[in-house]
Amino acid sequence: MYKNKFLNIALIGFLFSSISSASAKSLEPVKGRFGFGYTESSGNTDESKMNFHLNLSQKRNENLKFGYDALAIYGKSDGEKNADKKQLKFTSEFIKKDKFSWYANVSYMEDEFSGYKDQYKLGLGIINYFVKEEEKVFSCSLGLDFTKERHTDNTKKDDTWMRFGLDRKKKLSENVRFANHFGFLAPNEHTKDAYRVESTTGIIVTITPKLDAEMKYILDYSKAPIDNKEKYDRTFLTSLSYKI
């Protein structure tokens, strides 16, 4: 009970402080992209769908950077809904040194076809940059995720996960960029029986100064999925993105 109250209070407090700081004058305008595209997936759904995604960032001052991410995947087959996934995430990166930062994020997800009515998450941790250049970035992160979930089988679960992540971005040519994320999550107990792995690999091709083509492969693996659900979810997205 106390853990649930702590998570709810922390989520509300973090959102309130983030919105309050967003009202202050920023060092840079919001930058990023939003787009629409086509999705092919296998695992808990095996259909073709449409997707919408949003990836924005903003440097508030020399020591604070915000990130805003959203993804929606929706599909129908023969008049029946076969996919309905929504993700929202807000991240604050507190830059302590040139190659070292703290981070905090809050996120929300719905994905009934993978067994989630909803999931709330609060993440806290550190980021170390091995390479931090304009055309190449390589970093690792270590932190904790506090999650609160409701499942479609009417069960609930609150847990604390240790998270390890690797992120790499590189400019391959004048018009082509590569990005990869790998994450390993282990619960606070029974690690070998319930760990999760997430991986995203993408290529972004610049078409015009305001338009990108993006291809992305997302793999999610759960050692202990919700009852009657698949361990693997594989998603291939292609989209056109408008740059802000």
Side-chain angles (χ1 to χ4, degrees), residues 47-81:
E47 298 287 345
S48 302
K49 316 158 194 71
M50 298 300 293
N51 72 73
F52 164 80
H53 63 88
L54 174 73
N55 306 100
L56 303 174
S57 65
Q58 183 180 36
K59 195 168 184 180
R60 301 300 302 176
N61 55 54
E62 291 292 344
N63 302 109
L64 178 60
K65 183 179 180 181
F66 287 169
Y68 313 86
D69 296 279
L71 173 67
I73 299 175
Y74 183 81
K76 277 188 174 183
S77 179
D78 298 325
E80 295 290 330
K81 181 170 63 174

Side-chain angles (χ1 to χ4, degrees), residues 96-148:
K96 308 304 292 183
K97 298 180 181 178
D98 183 48
K99 292 189 177 181
F100 180 80
S101 300
W102 294 91
Y103 75 83
N105 59 52
V106 291
S107 62
Y108 174 79
M109 180 186 73
E110 294 179 13
D111 189 358
E112 64 175 285
F113 289 88
S114 292
Y116 294 94
K117 281 186 179 179
D118 51 51
Q119 179 196 72
Y120 297 88
K121 184 185 296 183
L122 169 66
L124 303 168
I126 59 173
I127 305 171
N128 184 73
Y129 291 90
F130 299 107
V131 180
K132 193 176 183 182
E133 302 171 0
E134 186 174 346
E135 296 186 355
K136 184 166 56 175
V137 177
F138 178 50
S139 66
C140 72
S141 58
L142 184 65
L144 294 175
D145 285 356
F146 304 93
T147 60
K148 181 180 179 65

Side-chain angles (χ1 to χ4, degrees), residues 134-166:
E134 186 174 346
E135 296 186 355
K136 184 166 56 175
V137 177
F138 178 50
S139 66
C140 72
S141 58
L142 184 65
L144 294 175
D145 285 356
F146 304 93
T147 60
K148 181 180 179 65
E149 301 174 350
R150 291 191 307 158
H151 304 155
T152 52
D153 60 4
N154 295 317
T155 59
K156 298 180 180 179
K157 187 175 183 181
D158 303 325
D159 215 337
T160 301
W161 299 77
M162 182 183 72
R163 170 183 287 274
F164 171 76
L166 291 172

